[in-house]
Every structure is written in C-alpha cells, then in structure tokens.
Amino acid sequence: MSKFLAELNKRILVMDGAMGTQLMERGIRPEECFDAVNIKKPEIVKAVHQSYIAAGADIIETNTFGANRLKLLDYNLENKVDAINQAAAKLAREAAGENNFVCGSIGPLGKLIDPLGDVTFDQAYEVFAEQAKALEAGGVDVVSIETISDLQEMRAAVIAVKQETNLSIIASLTYDDGEKTIYGTTPEVAVAVLEPLGIDIISANCSTGPEGMLKVSRKLLAVSSKPVMVMPNAGMPDLIDDKAVYKMTPQQFGRFAQQFIKLGVRIVGGCCGTRPEHIKAIKSEIPARPAGGRNQKSETNSKSKIQNPKFASRTRVVEVSGRPLLVAERINPTGRPLFQVELKKGQMRTLRQEAEQQTKAGADMLDTNISVPEVNEKELMHTAVKIVQSASDLPLSIDSPQAAALEAGLKACCGRALLNSVNGKKDSLERILPLAKKYGAAVIALVLDEKGIPDTAQERLNIARKIVESAKAIGIVKEDIYVDNLVMTAGVGIAGCLETLQAISLIKQELGVKTILGISNVSHGLPNRAKINALYFQLAVAYGLDAGIVDVTDEEMQKVIKGLRDQGIKGSRHQGIETLLAEFKAEVEKARWSGKPAEKRREANIKELKFTGYQDVKAAVIDGDSESVKELVCQALAKKYNPQKIIDQGLIPGMEIVGKKFNSKEYYLPQVIESAEAMRQGFELCKARLPKGKTKSKGKVLLATVKGDIHDIGKNIVKMLLENHGFAIIDLGKDVPPEKIIAVAKRERPNVIALSALLTTTMVEMGIVKTELAKSGLNIPLLVGGAVVTKGYADRIGASYSLDAVGAVSLAKKIMKAGKVKRNMNFFTLTFEK
C-alpha cells in the first residue's frame, strides 16, 4: 500500500480548490493555456499551491487538467506533454513539502471517443498513458482522473494509468442534478465498472454544488468498498459586473463539508468557484481524531457463500441472487447459415434483432459471439459490440476463441463484461487471463486442456483448480470466476451429462467459485431440443448451477425461467432431482429412438424490412438504427417517394421524438448521437436525389466557441443536430474573437448566431459579441450557452433559456417561424455543454 493510501486509512484528507480562477486573478488569460504556465511563469502556479497549503489542504493538485496531447494541440504545444506535466508535478511538490501529498490532475480529452466519436479506445489509452507517465516521473503520489462524463473515456484512462504506471488512482465522474452523467451513467454503474479495474478511490466532482453532490455521495457510499472523495463547485455562478461570481460563502461550503464527513466521505475538496477560503472552511470541520478505516462494509467471504459479481452496461447494473444468471445465447452464428451470410456482408439486422428480442425476453446478459470463417473477427467483434450496446442496455458476455477478438470486444464494451472464455491450456492461461484482469472482466473457465475434455468430475476439478490458481496469481478473485463443466450431447450417452452435473457440486464445494453451463450443447444432434434443454437446465440448477447460457426466447425455457423467478430456489437444491433425472432420461431416449431428424439451430425470425410509409423511417431513427434507416430510405426513393417529404415526414419527426425522450431523461447523449447519425445517413441519401440548389433549408446558423475557450464538444453536437434538421451551418471553430464573428455575420447574414463557452472566465465574451452586434446594426438573434450558463445569466442579458443542446433545434425553429427579427427582440440562450 502506498504512503498516500495508508495515510487515508488513518484520517480524513482535504484536497485543494479551483486553479483556473486563481490563475486568472494573477493575470493569466485562458487563451495563454493554463497548463503552459507551469513552464512559462512557474512562480504564479507555485503561489496558488502555497495559498492552498496555507489554507490547510493536505493534497495539492497539479496544474495539468488540460495537459494531454489532444488539448495541447490547440496551442501547438503537443510536443510539450512531458515538460509541462513534470514541471507541474515538481512545482506542486515544492509547495506541498514532504508532509503533504501531490495529486496529478488528468482531465478529459475534449473529444468524443468510440463508439460515439472519432477517437479510438487505443488512441485515448495512449494519450492518457503519456500524461500519467510524465506525472509519475515528476513525482506525484496519486492521480485524479476527473471531470469525466463518458464512462468509456474513464475506462480508457483508468486502464492506461493502471497498465503504464504504479500510481494510485482516483476516478472522478461528473454528475448532473439527476445523479447521472449526461451519458446516463449512475454512481452504482460507475462503482460496478471501475472498482474491478483497480481504482483506489471513487469520486465525484464539478457540475453541481454541494447539495446535489450529497445525493451522489450517498449512492457511492452505499455500494462502494473504496474510499469516496467529493469536490463540488461553490454553487453555480452569477454574472456580476461582467464577471462570473460564485456566491456560496466559505462558511456555507464548510457546513456542507461537515455533512460529507458525517456520511463517511474520506476526501473533501473544491472544484469550480472554490478558493483558499473555502478550503480553510473545510479544514475547520475535520474532527480532531477521526475514526480510521474506509467506508467499507463488512466483508464476509466463505466457501459456503460466494459473493455475486456485478455486471454492468453504460447505464445498468445486473446482480443476480436467488436464481441463476441468464446469459442469452442467440447472438451466435454457429449452425445458422443465414446469420453467417449477413455477418460476412457486414450486415447487422439479425444481430440487432436478437439483442432486442433477448432483452425483452428477460435475459440478464447477452453473449456476443460472431465467429464466422473468412472474416476479420477482431474488426467484426468491435462493430458487433457497438451494435448490441445500441440495441440493449444489458451487460455483455464477450465470446470468441481468438484473443484479439476478445480484446477488441472488451475495448468496445462500455461496462463490465463476462469474458468467454479461458481454458486449462498453457497458451490460453497466459493470453486470456491477463485480458480479464486488464479490463476488469469476470471470466468463464472451460474445463479442458491439452488432453481435451476429461471424462470424470474429479478430472474436471483438477483443471478448474489449475485455472483458479492461475487467475488468483494475477489478482483475479474467485468471485469473478465461472467454471463451465462442458456438457456434451446426450445423443452419445447420458452418463457424461450426469458426470457434468456431479462436477458442479464438487467444484463449488472444493474451490468456492461459481459455475455456468452452455445448456444447449446437451441436445445437439437430437430432435425435440427445447424440451431436453429445459429439463437439463432444471437439473443443473438443482445441482447448484449459478449461471446458464440459454435461449431465453424459447417457450420451454421460458416456463423454467418463470418458475425460478416466481418461486425462487428454496430448501435443498437437490430436492426433486430423482424425478427430474427420470424425466430427462426418458426424453433423451424418446428423442434418440424417435427416428426424427436432428433439429438445426433456429434461425432468427426476422421480419422483412419493408417501407410502408414515413412512419417506418421515423421509427428507425428513434431506434438509432442506421442500417435500417438507409435501407428504408433507399426503398422509399426506389418507389419514387419525394426525398424532401422523406426528410420532413420521416427523418425529422423521428429526431424530434428523440429530443423529447432526451428532455424527459428517457434517452441520454449516446442515444441522441446514434439517432442523429442514423438520420444523417438517411438525409444524405435524400439530399443526393434533390435537384441541385433545391435543398430545403430551415435557415442559416453561425456557430462559434468564444475567444479564450477551446472546448467544442457541445458545439459540435449542436452542429450535428441542426444540420440533420436542415439548417445550413457556418462553423467558425473555437477560440473565436468577437471581431471575426461580427465580420462573418456581416458577410453571411445568418439567421442565428450561436456561441458556446464552458469556462466562467470566457462566458463574458458573449456579452461583448452582443454589444458589438448592436453597434454594427445587425438584427440577428444570439444563442449562447455552455455548462456554466444559468437562467440568471440568461435573464441578465434579456435572453430565453434552454436546458440542453437538444433544445437548440426547437428554439432555432421558433426563431425561423418568427420571421424577420427586429433590433430590440429578446435574445435566446441555449446550453450546449451541459
């Protein structure tokens, strides 16, 4: 254990407060690059650190929030990553001394990453690793990966730091007032995904003030076994004398700190708007002799009661107790020639439909296997996982015989997965187990080795023990291991099937691990497979099976599942075994001597995709199904439907529904982006069929991120949505001075000017643009926004207010309907980067 974590076990620690506003007060402008100040004017950064140490901070964060290669690229400093981060770490160490701690600050990349953006998982990993290694070389004690909204980005960062350094890790997501990130991730999901990756502290920072963060803290503390840290803002800012002012006093902030400490939070600090005075107020609330230890619940871990691992998607946690975990098996092309043909063509209709149907049928997890001859399985797995995740909110089992495909799936999987599978062969142990450890996955262990599948339960136990010991050696706990005893077809004899059942009880008793079975293998080559599978599943459950890979859509299996869910597993698991065995044997014998041909795997009952009206296109857009949108639009165009009407009555209405779902928090940013991409592809097909120059435009919008601000994720999302709704966009990019905005406005005469800012320090640039518009006699409505924009700010400049980027479209449409705009009309406000 590091010195930092050891000290945290003894007492509550205080983190410092905001850096950016302190630099501004000392004369640094955002356009100068705050991170570059570490090497250009180091004495200023050191002075800020010293002010926080004097206020009582135990931990000083480095001035490196944006010091990654992608963000430094905006200042032509991308080759200064090492120099800036190492200088920052050394400055913080000089200020902190030997009795306090230095935390390396790692902020977001400022770009969307795969599957929602263009930055790949590997690229994100490399950027985060580069910064983390530089901070470690500079001498930091711990790193805080902070102000992250996208769980996938956090996964890439945590894995990079864990793999490339020896640093302790604080993982800090930012939540809105609904206790979710804008991507829909809850504190419970964050804990389920990030703890298995090896983080040391779970945290929340920014976005909300202390009151909102109390709610998030309670949820983190309720489910996490790790220490919890919070760094709330000092409320939300108001604009006073053209300056963003946070009105929460240090005394008020300190009283909230007292509440955090009483809850069990181990580190308290401040984010936006907090000053040394706020940190001093926190320090005054720290008990003189706080109780040691973390916020861990008592851990009871015995062979008789194995803890249930938690699996998660981006938005949902699955933890099953009292019945077997249901892993749905039908995303698998083995024995299904039509599905194989689709996958070889890169088509995903069957895959998407299977994901949707199995989710509706009550699966707990979706096994995703796309092993098809003569395809690049690594690339196909990456695509398949993205499609499955867009169609279902269930966690995934990543299933492949190829290590490269398994890793591709684990990278694309935004959540906590089950890895299917490792076996007792030396090559498998050496290649697959490290993948499970690296990506925080649980793992299925197949009881086979170089000699094949053993005949007896004892031999299966021996292989299982070898796998469990190998897993334990690299830090995989037994609770995350599911042993698959590999049932063979009853068609060659029932004895082997019974030996598999005996092995379930034996392995659970001896090794203290969970068990799983691919149930459908038992009926391979036989008729009446559904009945045989259902009976064998019941038998396996009676012997103690913890998870089944089954066809949850099958009627016979549905009856068994319903019985398990309605009644639970009561009393002895062996109750009724003799009766079940007799039924199973009789059913197998009947099938073997029936003379009926063996059943083939059931192909998906796919409904023909046929355009019957604009509502079909609308529904596909709502689902975010790009493949179906393209096919339906092509069919409509082939039938001579008017392309403009396809846009106006199919594509746009679908996106409007998506907007409503987003506003009601039924959808989150991933669904909006997926639907927008589906709509874009349909729009491009229609646009190509419209006569040149006849494309119907809703209006022209000039977009820009204001001077001094380089954050443009939100602006780019607004651009995408407006374009998809038929607006012509003039995008001036980021860090745009007022004079350029005015010059382009005079030349292009847009219907609307939309400005974005993420920083309180740059928000005032919007007021300057407003003034210059009036001076120039330009009667153009102004839309301004960003995470720091509030209704109070909007009211102050005589503006309307929209909560989020999705509202940009509806407000822009209202402006266009209003017709010609007069000089003194109200201005409109949009929040781009909520």
Side-chain angles (χ1 to χ4, degrees):
M1 180 182 290
S2 70
K3 179 183 175 182
F4 171 74
L5 293 177
E7 189 67 18
L8 182 59
N9 270 334
K10 298 176 185 177
R11 63 188 177 100
I12 295 166
L13 299 178
V14 177
M15 184 78 89
D16 62 9
M19 171 62 74
T21 49
Q22 294 294 296
L23 293 178
M24 287 282 289
E25 289 182 5
R26 289 164 171 79
I28 306 299
R29 295 289 301 166
E31 57 265 33
E32 295 179 59
C33 181
F34 287 154
D35 306 289
V37 181
N38 294 308
I39 55 178
K40 293 180 178 178
K41 299 177 181 179
E43 69 283 356
I44 294 178
V45 176
K46 189 173 181 180
V48 175
H49 290 326
Q50 289 172 331
S51 70
Y52 282 120
I53 288 291
D58 302 299
I59 310 166
I60 293 298
E61 273 203 285
T62 57
N63 176 38
T64 54
F65 181 75
N68 65 68
R69 179 171 292 273
L70 291 182
K71 281 194 171 181
L72 291 176
L73 184 65
D74 292 306
Y75 302 100
N76 296 316
L77 293 170
E78 66 273 18
N79 294 322
K80 296 288 185 181
V81 173
D82 285 353
I84 289 173
N85 282 279
Q86 290 182 31
K90 290 173 183 176
L91 285 170
R93 174 60 66 199
E94 290 171 6
E98 293 303 317
N99 295 324
N100 298 297
F101 299 99
V102 174
C103 176
S105 173
I106 297 179
L109 301 179
K111 295 183 181 296
L112 294 172
I113 76 169
D114 184 71
L116 303 175
D118 295 329
V119 178
T120 68
F121 189 94
D122 287 340
Q123 288 169 338
Y125 176 102
E126 290 169 3
V127 172
F128 284 123
E130 180 182 34
Q131 185 180 7
K133 286 189 285 188
L135 287 167
E136 184 177 43
V140 303
D141 301 294
V142 57
V143 292
S144 178
I145 306 164
E146 57 191 8
T147 325
I148 306 291
S149 296
D150 183 358
L151 183 63
Q152 187 72 329
E153 184 173 17
M154 179 62 85
R155 287 182 69 242
V158 170
I159 292 169
V161 177
K162 195 73 179 176
Q163 293 294 310
E164 303 291 342
T165 77
N166 293 310
L167 293 169
S168 301
I169 300 173
I170 302 171
S172 192
L173 289 165
T174 183
Y175 301 90
D176 61 21
D177 54 8
E179 296 100 62
K180 294 181 180 180
T181 73
I182 59 172
Y183 292 80
T185 298
T186 64
E188 293 85 353
V189 168
V191 169
V193 174
L194 299 176
E195 284 196 4
L197 288 175
I199 66 166
D200 300 286
I201 297 160
I202 190 76
S203 173
N205 80 293
C206 205
S207 245
T208 65
E211 189 169 1
M213 204 159 283
L214 278 170
K215 300 175 184 177
V216 174
S217 299
R218 289 189 183 97
K219 291 185 175 182
L220 289 173
L221 288 160
V223 296
S224 180
S225 64
K226 301 294 182 181
V228 172
M229 180 180 88
V230 295
M231 295 182 68
N233 294 340
M236 291 299 287
D238 288 330
L239 194 66
I240 300 174
D241 296 329
D242 291 330
K243 287 186 178 180
V245 177
Y246 288 86
K247 289 187 174 181
M248 181 170 284
T249 67
Q251 292 74 25
Q252 291 171 319
F253 201 77
R255 285 194 289 272
F256 275 109
Q258 187 180 65
Q259 295 182 59
F260 286 122
I261 293 165
K262 285 182 178 178
L263 283 176
V265 172
R266 300 297 298 180
I267 304 176
V268 184
C271 204
C272 301
T274 57
R275 305 168 55 82
E277 293 82 359
H278 293 86
I279 303 309
K280 185 176 181 180
I282 295 173
K283 190 71 171 182
S284 69
E285 299 296 339
I286 303 296
R289 290 180 178 274
R294 300 175 290 185
N295 55 289
Q296 290 174 305
K297 305 172 190 62
S298 61
E299 295 182 3
T300 57
N301 191 12
S302 66
K303 285 186 179 181
S304 61
K305 186 174 182 181
I306 310 165
Q307 292 180 339
N308 293 306
K310 294 179 181 178
F311 300 100
S313 64
R314 187 192 291 272
T315 59
R316 178 175 173 180
V317 175
V318 169
E319 181 183 15
V320 173
S321 61
R323 63 168 178 83
L325 179 78
L326 300 174
V327 183
E329 69 172 18
R330 285 192 55 77
I331 302 177
N332 188 328
T334 304
R336 299 169 64 184
L338 296 180
F339 193 6
Q340 291 183 24
V341 169
E342 272 197 14
L343 290 174
K344 286 182 178 181
K345 291 180 179 179
Q347 297 172 346
M348 298 290 162
R349 280 195 61 214
T350 295
L351 184 142
R352 176 181 284 274
Q353 182 169 303
E354 292 286 18
E356 292 171 348
Q357 290 181 348
Q358 292 180 118
T359 301
K360 291 176 183 176
D364 299 311
M365 179 178 287
L366 301 178
D367 190 72
T368 304
N369 182 322
I370 44 76
S371 298
V372 178
E374 302 173 356
V375 300
N376 185 325
E377 190 169 338
K378 178 180 175 181
E379 291 182 5
L380 188 57
M381 178 65 85
H382 175 262
T383 302
V385 168
K386 290 200 294 184
I387 297 298
V388 173
Q389 288 182 133
S390 73
S392 172
D393 65 349
L394 291 180
L396 303 186
S397 168
I398 310 298
D399 185 355
S400 174
Q402 296 184 17
L406 287 173
E407 185 162 21
L410 289 168
K411 288 176 182 177
C413 177
C414 183
R416 191 186 188 219
L418 178 62
L419 189 61
N420 189 3
S421 54
V422 67
N423 61 57
K425 296 178 182 179
K426 183 175 183 293
D427 179 66
S428 179
L429 294 172
E430 292 177 350
R431 291 198 299 162
I432 308 303
L433 285 178
L435 289 180
K437 178 62 177 174
K438 178 179 179 179
Y439 293 96
V443 64
I444 294 176
L446 306 181
V447 288
L448 64 86
D449 58 15
E450 287 81 359
K451 297 178 182 178
I453 301 172
D455 295 326
T456 68
Q458 184 61 48
E459 289 173 310
R460 285 177 164 91
L461 170 62
N462 293 339
I463 296 175
R465 180 178 283 113
K466 176 182 176 182
I467 298 172
V468 171
E469 289 175 353
S470 298
K472 183 179 177 181
I474 65 169
I476 298 175
V477 296
K478 64 182 180 181
E479 289 81 10
D480 287 336
I481 301 172
Y482 284 79
V483 173
D484 187 337
N485 287 301
L486 295 173
V487 62
M488 304 303 290
T489 176
V492 297
I494 291 178
C497 304
L498 303 185
E499 199 70 24
T500 296
L501 296 176
Q502 294 293 338
I504 292 173
S505 300
L506 181 63
I507 286 172
K508 285 170 67 69
Q509 181 180 353
E510 293 294 321
L511 302 180
V513 295
K514 291 185 175 292
T515 54
I516 189 170
L517 271 179
I519 297 296
S520 297
N521 291 335
V522 76
S523 64
H524 181 71
L526 295 172
N528 200 15
R529 296 191 66 182
K531 184 66 175 178
I532 294 171
N533 291 342
L535 285 168
Y536 194 73
F537 184 43
Q538 290 179 82
L539 267 173
V541 171
Y543 273 89
L545 187 72
D546 300 287
I549 304 174
V550 298
D551 181 358
V552 295
T553 66
D554 178 78
E555 290 184 7
E556 291 289 342
M557 191 62 70
Q558 277 282 318
K559 294 175 186 176
V560 176
I561 292 169
K562 185 177 186 302
L564 292 172
R565 283 179 167 159
D566 289 348
Q567 300 171 18
I569 302 171
K570 301 176 181 178
S572 170
R573 284 179 177 265
H574 289 259
Q575 185 177 3
I577 281 183
E578 293 304 320
T579 301
L580 284 172
L581 270 173
E583 283 189 64
F584 173 68
K585 290 177 180 179
E587 194 64 40
V588 170
E589 287 304 305
K590 184 172 70 173
R592 290 173 65 186
W593 298 104
S594 67
K596 295 180 181 179
E599 287 184 14
K600 295 181 179 179
R601 282 207 171 191
R602 177 166 51 89
E603 289 280 6
N605 184 24
I606 297 180
K607 183 179 177 182
E608 183 182 0
L609 190 64
K610 188 175 181 181
F611 177 81
T612 61
Y614 301 119
Q615 72 278 357
D616 299 327
V617 176
K618 175 182 173 181
V621 169
I622 294 169
D623 289 341
D625 186 350
S626 295
E627 188 175 334
S628 292
V629 168
K630 288 190 293 184
E631 175 62 26
L632 289 166
V633 169
C634 286
Q635 288 185 25
L637 292 171
K639 292 180 178 181
K640 307 301 181 184
Y641 276 78
N642 184 296
Q644 189 63 56
K645 286 188 176 181
I646 297 173
I647 295 170
D648 293 340
Q649 297 183 41
L651 296 170
I652 290 177
M655 201 64 208
E656 287 173 344
I657 295 296
V658 171
K660 291 177 181 177
K661 287 178 177 287
F662 180 81
N663 287 331
S664 65
K665 295 192 175 180
E666 182 181 348
Y667 274 11
Y668 292 91
L669 194 57
Q671 289 89 353
V672 172
I673 292 175
E674 286 162 358
S675 291
E677 174 60 19
M679 180 183 176
R680 183 193 67 78
Q681 294 193 29
F683 180 79
E684 291 299 322
L685 290 170
C686 292
K687 184 179 176 182
R689 294 294 188 93
L690 290 168
K692 199 166 185 178
K694 295 292 184 179
T695 305
K696 185 178 176 182
S697 175
K698 291 287 191 302
K700 186 187 295 186
V701 179
L702 188 154
L703 279 173
T705 299
V706 297
K707 179 182 177 181
D709 203 317
I710 61 167
H711 302 87
D712 65 351
I713 287 181
K715 174 184 69 65
N716 291 340
I717 293 171
V718 171
K719 175 183 176 181
M720 176 175 60
L721 295 180
L722 288 172
E723 283 181 331
N724 287 349
H725 280 80
F727 286 88
I729 304 298
I730 305 165
D731 185 0
L732 298 184
K734 50 199 173 188
D735 190 17
V736 185
E739 55 270 23
K740 182 175 181 179
I741 294 170
I742 301 301
V744 175
K746 286 180 178 179
R747 183 177 70 248
E748 298 290 341
R749 296 288 173 172
N751 303 103
V752 183
I753 295 176
L755 304 179
S756 173
L758 185 63
L759 304 174
T760 56
T761 51
T762 59
M763 185 169 66
V764 294
E765 293 291 333
M766 297 169 171
I768 296 173
V769 173
K770 172 187 171 182
T771 300
E772 293 303 314
L773 280 171
K775 286 181 181 178
S776 302
L778 295 173
N779 297 321
I780 303 173
L782 185 68
L783 298 96
V784 300
V788 294
V789 178
T790 64
K791 191 175 186 306
Y793 174 80
D795 292 342
R796 186 175 180 85
I797 64 171
S800 296
Y801 179 75
S802 176
L803 180 63
D804 49 59
V806 172
V809 175
S810 60
L811 282 178
K813 287 181 177 180
K814 288 179 182 178
I815 291 174
M816 300 311 301
K817 283 184 179 179
K820 189 175 179 179
V821 183
K822 296 184 179 180
R823 181 189 299 271
N824 294 324
M825 76 168 289
N826 285 339
F827 290 90
F828 290 82
T829 302
L830 297 175
T831 299
F832 295 142
E833 307 202 45
K834 177 72 175 172

